[in-house]
Amino acid sequence: MEIKQVSPQVKVHDNPKQRKMKQRRYGRGDLFWAYIMIAPLMLGLFIFYVYPVFQTVYYSFVEWGAFGNYKWTGLDNYNKLLTDTDLHRAIRNTVVYIVLSVPLSIFLSILVAALLNQKIRGLTIYRTLYFLPVITMPAAVAMVWRWLYNADYGLLNYALGLLSIKGPHWLTDPNIALYSVILVAIWSSIGNNMIIFLSGLQGISSSYYEAASIDGAGTISKFYRITLPLLTPTIFFVGVISLISAFQVFDMIYMMIGEKNIAIESTQSIVFLFYKYGFTQNMKGYASAIAVLLFVIILIVTFIQMKLQKKWVHYG
Amino acid sequence: MFANGYKKKVGSAVLVHIILLVGAAIMIIPFIWMFLTSVKTMGESTMVPLVIIPKQLQWNNYLKVFESLPFLTFYWNTMITTLFKTVGQVMICSLAAYAFARIEFPGRNLFFLLALSVLMVPGQVFLIPQYMIMKDLGWLNSLQALIVPGLFSAFGTFLLRQFFMTLPKELEEAAKLDGCNQFRTYWQIMLPLAKPGMIALAIFVILWSWNDLMWPLIVNTSPDKMVLSAGLASLQGEHSTNYTILMAGSMMAIIPMIIIFLVFQRSFIEGIALTGSK
C-alpha cells in the first residue's frame, strides 16, 4: 500500500518488481551505500566486541589449563565467586573507593566550576591547571604520587613534619592505603568533571538569577534554589559515567600499590583481581566469571540510578 | 552603603581567588615536584631535610632512562599506535555515523542498537577473548595488536551521529539533486561540516590511546613493542627506589601530551563539554 503512495503511476505486478519498488522507497543506491558505510564498523564491533561478550560468558564456565586448553566445569567458577574471600575483599574495596571518590569529586568539581563561572581574572589559567591531571597518563600520575606519599622522603610527610605531625606510611599501611589511592583519584578527576559542570552552568539562563535578585535572594540561596536544581541533569550524567569508570579502577592500584605491597589485600579492586587471575595466574575461566559479575553489578547499579533519577533530577 | 557593597564585592573576589589558588597549587605541585626530582642527584632526592631545588640540574637522569630501557622505541610505538588508532577510528566511525544519522535503510535501528549495547559493557568483558584473537592471529607483541581492536568504537559512532544530526539538511539535498551519491555527499559536503565533532572524537582517542595501560600490558610484553605507559611500569620494576630516574621517565611520558593539550586546549575543553551536553 505504502509503495503505491510513493509512486502511484507504477503498477505492482509481481514480487520481484515489488522488491524493486521497496528499494526505491529508500532511494536509489542509498541502501548500497548505507551498508557499505556501516560495514567496517559493524564487522569490527562484531569481531572484537559483540562476539567476545558471548565468548567471555562461555569462558566463565570453563577451567583453563596450562597450555591454553580448557575444559567445561559448569558452575564451578561461579561457586568460587561465592567463596573467594579475596574477591569479597576486592568488592568491598571497590565499593569504598566509589562511595568516597565519586561524590567527593562531584562536590569539589561543582565548587570549582561555580567559582570559575563568573567574570574573574585568570579563568583560562585556572582551567588549564585544573585540567592538567586529566590529560596526564595514569601510570605517571601514580608514579609521582608514590613519590609524594613516600614515608621517608616524600613531600607530603615533609610538609606534615613542618607542622610537627608524623606522617603515616601512606601506601603501605593497610588501614590507610586505600584512602591514599582515593585522594589521587579525586585529584585526577576534578578537572574533567569541572569542565562538564562549567558547560552545564553556562547553560542556565541568567534570567533566573535576575528574577531571584529582584526577590532579594543572596548568592548562597541562589545557588541552592536555582543552580543546583538546574544542574541536576549534569550531576546525574557525571554520576553515572564516574560510577561506571570507578567500578573499573585498575591503573592506580596496579602502579601505585602493586602486587608485592603488603597493603595490596586492603586496596585491590575487582578489576585488579580480574587482571591478576586472568593474565598473571592464567586462570582465564575464573577471571571471565569475575568479568561477568562486574558487568552484572554495573548493569544493576546503572538501572537503579536510572530509576532513582526521577526523584531528584529536574529536566527543565 | 555604596562603599560597603563595593568592599564586600572585592572581599568575595579575593576569597574566590584564594580558594582557586589553593586548588591550583594542589593540582600543579605534583608536576613541579616530578620535574624537580627528575633533575636531582639520587643523594639529593633522599636527603633529610628535603632539598627543594637541586644544586645542579642533573639532565643526565634523562639519559639514564634511555640507557636502561629503549624509550625511543616506546615513543615511536606510542605515536604510531595513537596515530593509526585516531585516524582509523575517526574515519570508520564517521562513515557509519553518517549512515545512521542520514540514510534510511532496513535494519538501521537494529544495527544502531547493537552498536549502542556495546557501550553498556565494561571493557574487561571483552579483554580475554580479544587477547585470544590476538594470540590466534599471531599478533601478540605487535603494533597491530595495539591498534586494530581500537579502530572500532561504539562511543565514537554515537558521538558523531549526534553531531551529524545537528547539521542542516539543505546542503545534502542540494548535493543529491546534483546527482551525488551518498558517499560523495558524505565525503565532500558533510565531512567538512562535521570537523568540530571529529576533532572532539580525535582528542578522546588520542588521550585514551596515549594513556591506556591494561591492554598494552596484556598483549605486548617484549620491550621493543611496548608503549610508554607499559614502559613506565617496567621502569618502576627496574628502579623501584631511584626516584630521580622514575621521575625523568614520567616527565618524558607526559610531556608530548601536555604540549598537545596546550596547543589544542580549546578543542579539548569543547570536546569534553560536548559529551556532557548531549
Side-chain angles (χ1 to χ4, degrees), chain A residues 137-191:
Chain A
M137 182 181 286
V141 167
M143 205 95 102
V144 72
W145 276 96
R146 248 172 91 114
W147 181 223
L148 291 163
Y149 276 143
N150 188 291
D152 303 320
Y153 314 112
L155 188 61
L156 209 56
N157 279 359
Y158 173 71
L160 288 175
L162 293 181
L163 306 169
S164 20
I165 300 169
K166 189 174 177 345
H169 286 77
W170 294 94
L171 294 175
T172 47
D173 182 338
N175 294 319
I176 294 178
L178 182 58
Y179 302 99
S180 309
V181 175
I182 290 170
L183 270 183
V184 180
I186 296 170
W187 177 82
S188 56
S189 65
I190 285 178

Side-chain angles (χ1 to χ4, degrees), chain A residues 44-180:
Chain A
L45 283 186
F46 191 83
I47 296 172
F48 292 109
Y49 297 89
V50 177
Y51 155 80
V53 173
F54 294 99
Q55 193 67 18
T56 291
V57 172
Y58 172 74
Y59 285 156
S60 73
F61 294 104
V62 307
E63 192 190 317
W64 220 263
F67 303 102
N69 53 321
Y70 44 80
K71 65 169 194 283
W72 182 267
T73 51
L75 286 172
D76 279 9
N77 289 328
Y78 288 94
N79 283 330
K80 198 174 169 199
L81 288 180
L82 297 175
T83 54
D84 182 356
T85 48
D86 274 357
L87 178 70
H88 301 162
R89 193 70 202 270
I91 293 174
R92 224 193 76 190
N93 295 338
T94 310
V95 169
V96 171
Y97 174 89
I98 292 168
V99 167
L100 288 176
S101 72
V102 174
L104 273 172
S105 169
I106 289 180
F107 170 77
L108 291 170
S109 313
I110 294 176
L111 180 73
V112 175
L115 292 178
L116 286 177
N117 189 34
Q118 9 182 9
K119 287 185 196 108
I120 56 161
R121 258 188 234 171
L123 172 78
T124 15
I125 297 172
Y126 283 128
R127 212 175 47 186
T128 308
L129 293 180
Y130 281 90
F131 202 72
L132 216 47
V134 179
I135 56 139
T136 309
M137 182 181 286
V141 167
M143 205 95 102
V144 72
W145 276 96
R146 248 172 91 114
W147 181 223
L148 291 163
Y149 276 143
N150 188 291
D152 303 320
Y153 314 112
L155 188 61
L156 209 56
N157 279 359
Y158 173 71
L160 288 175
L162 293 181
L163 306 169
S164 20
I165 300 169
K166 189 174 177 345
H169 286 77
W170 294 94
L171 294 175
T172 47
D173 182 338
N175 294 319
I176 294 178
L178 182 58
Y179 302 99
S180 309

